[in-house]
Amino acid sequence: MATIKIHNWKSRKVVNMRASNGKRVVVFTNKYAKVPNNIYNLGAQAFKGWMRKQENLRLVKVYENDEVMNFSLVTKSYYNKYNSHD
């Protein structure tokens, strides 16, 4: 089971883990998209399973290169607000 490392950065939790393809995966959370601490303790598979069950949260890819993929965990209302093309 893959381990998850947690860091705090500008009042956000930063989740650092490794994908199956060898890339580092970094997920930035905020005060609206909170992840329970016991999910972090259970590992990467539990985090992915928990994410699939969340109907009000969305992972948005921010950046990707050969070594790292950065995602931001946001609420769906926030995502819809900033991606509406009115």
Side-chain angles (χ1 to χ4, degrees):
M1 182 180 295
T3 59
I4 294 179
K5 295 178 184 174
I6 307 296
H7 307 283
N8 287 320
W9 178 72
K10 295 186 180 180
S11 74
R12 302 173 86 188
K13 284 199 176 186
V14 180
V15 182
N16 195 344
M17 56 190 145
R18 207 157 278 282
S20 59
N21 61 4
K23 290 184 178 183
R24 274 186 322 145
V25 177
V26 180
V27 179
F28 295 89
T29 64
N30 60 24
K31 66 180 179 180
Y32 302 109
K34 292 197 178 210
V35 180
N37 283 335
N38 63 338
I39 298 298
Y40 296 135
N41 296 336
L42 292 174
Q45 293 295 345
F47 180 73
K48 286 191 268 183
W50 180 83
M51 281 298 307
R52 288 187 193 112
K53 293 178 182 176
Q54 302 307 306
E55 295 179 3
N56 63 333
L57 297 178
R58 183 171 177 112
L59 265 179
V60 178
K61 187 183 288 187
V62 177
Y63 175 76
E64 180 177 8
N65 66 16
D66 293 339
E67 299 173 2
V68 66
M69 293 186 293
N70 288 351
F71 293 94
S72 186
L73 184 62
V74 297
T75 60
K76 282 196 177 176
S77 60
Y78 178 87
Y79 178 81
N80 292 335
K81 179 181 174 184
Y82 285 97
N83 283 322
S84 62
H85 300 292
D86 294 341

